[in-house]
Amino acid sequence: MNTLTLSRRALNLLTSGSSLPTTSCLSASPSSFVQSSHLSTIRLLGRDYPADEETNVSAHLLKHTDRLLHLQKQHPLQIVKQRIVENMQAKYLWNNRSPLFSHYDNISPIVTRAQNFDELLVPGDHVSRQRQDNYFINKDLMLRAHMTCHDSDMIRSGLDCFLTTGDVYRRDTIDRTHYPVFHQMDCVRLFSTWELEEFAQDPKNFKAFADEGSPADPNIQSCHTTEAVKIMEYSLKSTLIGLVQSLFGRCKYRWVEATFPFTYPSFELEILYNDEWLEVLGCGILMQDILVKSAVPKKVGWAFGLGLERLAMAMYNIPDIRLFWSEDERFLKQFRVDNIHRPIKFEPYNNYTSRARDIAFWLPANFVENDFYDFVRDKLPRDTVEDIKLIDNFSKGDRTSHCYRLTYRAWDRHLTSEEANHIHDTLATEVTKIGGVVR
Ligand code: FA5
Ligand code: MG
């Protein structure tokens, strides 16, 4: 077994209020941080899927696929979901009677790459397709990275106005606002030309689609008329402002221009929360090509997708995204309310000390940071890492070394310094097992 000698790094290691972190230095490159490639099958939601060279779902992630927090009664995510659905279904009625928007929250997160990307016109070389950002089950299937992946199928099945909610999966950094599984709600509203007419200046001569050869407006899709887009944009933005105000009351917000391959024009909505602008959703006018391919070429529409964790963290003052996964009564009982509209302010039930420890290693070939983050989540117990930051980066010859600071803190218990050392030693040992040599 390798012996671990911990050396101290003088470089900007002091963090306020915590002791000087210790650094584990690895003198040889680990061969790879990718974990799952050796598996022959992946068991997911009660079924086995063949693994192949594209497989990169981590063991840590697989433990989360059957939790379905958005379906768990009196869970904060379920409460936020319910409040949004209630708002949309009470406000928008078909013939003043039944809700315009139907809601689906039990759709499997296992989708094809075609659903997640191609059907949404995501180009073959788009950054969002990268292996380092997605969880692939194998070369055909993946865990959905956004709820928008169901839009084409839902539209093709004949739906005009619908909401979908579910768990989505993305490889990402480790900190208080990022977790590899989070929850989104998406919404689509389609209009026939006659539905837009009533908002037009001259309804009789209103057109939703531009005549061939008419002057192009670079701010909209060339097939749409400026007036149709104005009406849809107003409908989209007023729906969303109404929704956000139903959750937060009157609050400051701003629209930011955005880019999505499936909408044009596109926007993001940010709200001012605790003096910071917080992005809560993306939206836009659906690309007409998606509607053409979904067999409704004569309709136009808008769509949006919002993050339930982002909203719940702001609404209830929840300081760390890991808390949503907590099974601790001290967390859960704070959301057991008889009325979901009752204001709730989460009261932190501890102030456990954080413990910073550093680890440095030479990078293996083709290193991507998200591989290291998944490795850490796989190897360490119960999400004890609150945050990872790259704090030092240096090269010698053709080799590069990274030094990461890991902040350890558990939400349900006090971590002693010895425990943090032990957890950190475990990480160093795991890195040695894949070829890194600890010195
Ligand atoms: C999307 O996922 C688009 N599918 C949204 C969309 C739908 C645009 C339909 C247009 C039409 P984005 O990656 O920005 O976009 O995520 C949407 C929202 O999900 C964000 O605004 C945020 O609230 C939430 N979100 C995104 N990443 C994370 C994360 N790592 N952790 C928590 N919430 C996140
Ligand atoms: Mg965004």
Side-chain angles (χ1 to χ4, degrees):
M1 213 173 104
N2 295 304
T3 28
L4 171 70
T5 346
L6 297 170
S7 62
R8 291 191 173 229
R9 285 202 134 202
L11 276 173
N12 61 9
L13 293 188
L14 279 170
T15 50
S16 56
S18 60
S19 54
L20 187 69
T22 46
T23 307
S24 313
C25 289
L26 306 175
S27 63
S29 315
S31 56
S32 169
F33 286 106
V34 181
Q35 289 302 292
S36 317
S37 48
H38 61 284
L39 298 172
S40 62
T41 56
I42 299 290
R43 185 138 190 99
L44 199 52
L45 296 170
R47 278 190 58 186
D48 287 329
Y49 294 87
D52 58 28
E53 64 285 356
E54 291 292 313
T55 306
N56 67 353
V57 283
S58 63
H60 173 268
L61 191 82
L62 292 173
K63 288 187 205 133
H64 293 71
T65 49
D66 57 4
R67 289 286 300 279
L68 303 172
L69 300 180
H70 62 289
L71 298 178
Q72 204 174 296
K73 257 197 158 330
Q74 297 185 310
H75 189 278
L77 297 176
Q78 190 264 346
I79 297 176
V80 176
K81 174 195 80 173
Q82 207 180 327
R83 284 188 58 168
I84 298 173
V85 174
E86 274 185 18
N87 176 273
M88 295 288 285
Q89 293 192 333
K91 214 158 156 187
Y92 301 97
L93 298 172
W94 181 245
N95 284 341
N96 278 334
R97 281 189 178 177
S98 47
L100 194 59
F101 292 95
S102 45
H103 178 225
Y104 306 86
D105 59 6
N106 212 354
I107 312 173
S108 168
I110 301 167
V111 299
T112 61
R113 291 183 198 219
Q115 285 174 294
N116 201 80
F117 301 118
D118 304 312
E119 289 175 14
L120 293 169
L121 314 176
V122 179
D125 56 355
H126 196 267
V127 283
S128 66
R129 290 187 181 249
Q130 291 184 62
R131 190 175 149 75
Q132 69 186 62
D133 295 328
N134 294 287
Y135 286 107
F136 293 118
I137 298 166
N138 53 38
K139 63 181 175 7
D140 301 317
L141 297 172
M142 63 184 289
L143 286 161
R144 65 187 164 210
H146 55 169
M147 288 305 289
T148 319
C149 68
H150 301 295
D151 286 1
S152 294
D153 290 338
M154 309 281 281
I155 295 170
R156 207 172 291 122
S157 76
L159 293 167
D160 276 351
C161 298
F162 58 87
L163 294 151
T164 57
T165 307
D167 39 349
V168 300
Y169 298 79
R170 292 188 196 173
R171 306 186 71 206
D172 219 323
T173 52
I174 296 185
D175 65 28
R176 282 170 162 239
T177 59
H178 289 89
Y179 203 74
V181 191
F182 59 98
H183 296 76
Q184 283 187 335
M185 180 182 285
D186 262 54
C187 180
V188 167
R189 179 166 186 182
L190 301 186
F191 300 84
S192 300
T193 304
W194 60 265
E195 287 175 281
L196 298 179
E197 262 170 30
E198 63 177 293
F199 304 99
Q201 292 212 319
D202 176 6
K204 277 213 178 86
N205 292 311
F206 173 77
K207 283 183 179 161
F209 294 100
D211 292 328
E212 217 154 288
S214 54
D217 176 347
N219 300 312
I220 62 174
Q221 295 171 51
S222 59
C223 58
H224 294 151
T225 62
T226 305
E227 190 174 16
V229 174
K230 267 197 185 142
I231 296 170
M232 283 194 288
E233 196 177 315
Y234 177 79
S235 159
L236 169 64
K237 289 183 171 175
S238 55
T239 302
L240 286 169
I241 294 307
L243 187 58
V244 166
Q245 286 178 344
S246 81
L247 300 175
F248 291 94
R250 292 184 72 80
C251 62
K252 279 204 170 149
Y253 63 83
R254 67 181 184 193
W255 292 102
V256 179
E257 259 183 51
T259 310
F260 299 106
F262 30 92
T263 50
Y264 191 77
S266 309
F267 315 92
E268 280 175 346
L269 178 62
E270 296 185 346
I271 57 171
L272 192 64
Y273 177 73
N274 279 347
D275 291 331
E276 276 185 36
W277 289 104
L278 178 74
E279 178 209 315
V280 291
L281 62 88
C283 64
I285 307 301
L286 273 172
M287 292 299 280
Q288 200 59 33
D289 236 18
I290 295 179
L291 300 184
V292 170
K293 289 189 175 124
S294 306
V296 285
K298 295 276 185 318
K299 293 188 178 173
V300 290
W302 53 245
F304 69 78
L306 53 81
L308 290 181
E309 276 83 351
R310 289 274 165 88
L311 292 172
M313 287 173 88
M315 283 165 68
Y316 304 135
N317 245 352
I318 298 174
D320 188 323
I321 199 165
R322 290 176 301 164
L323 278 163
F324 291 105
W325 299 92
S326 171
E327 292 175 286
D328 192 320
E329 265 302 296
R330 291 172 294 177
F331 175 75
L332 295 173
K333 74 174 181 206
Q334 300 195 36
F335 300 92
R336 293 219 180 92
V337 285
D338 43 10
N339 174 358
I340 56 171
H341 298 280
R342 164 123 48 99
I344 304 171
K345 277 281 164 272
F346 171 67
E347 294 289 342
Y349 43 82
N350 64 43
N351 189 16
Y352 298 140
T353 328
S354 65
R355 312 257 175 213
R357 301 286 183 275
D358 297 344
I359 187 165
F361 50 85
W362 295 107
L363 304 188
N366 306 320
F367 174 78
V368 289
E369 294 205 323
N370 286 346
D371 287 342
F372 178 58
Y373 300 147
D374 271 343
F375 183 85
V376 170
R377 285 186 153 121
D378 269 359
K379 300 300 175 193
L380 300 186
R382 285 161 64 197
D383 290 329
T384 37
V385 183
E386 175 177 288
D387 190 277
I388 300 189
K389 276 197 178 55
L390 178 66
I391 56 161
D392 187 28
N393 174 353
F394 89 101
S395 298
K396 197 171 175 191
D398 56 1
R399 294 202 301 173
T400 301
S401 156
H402 278 183
C403 179
Y404 289 95
R405 171 156 308 154
L406 289 89
T407 304
Y408 295 100
R409 187 192 335 237
W411 263 97
D412 52 353
R413 69 207 154 93
H414 177 68
L415 267 191
T416 62
S417 181
E418 291 68 38
E419 257 182 294
N421 288 345
H422 178 71
I423 294 170
H424 196 62
D425 290 354
T426 308
L427 178 63
T429 308
E430 290 296 338
V431 177
T432 63
K433 280 192 198 157
I434 58 160
V437 178
V438 179
R439 65 174 159 81

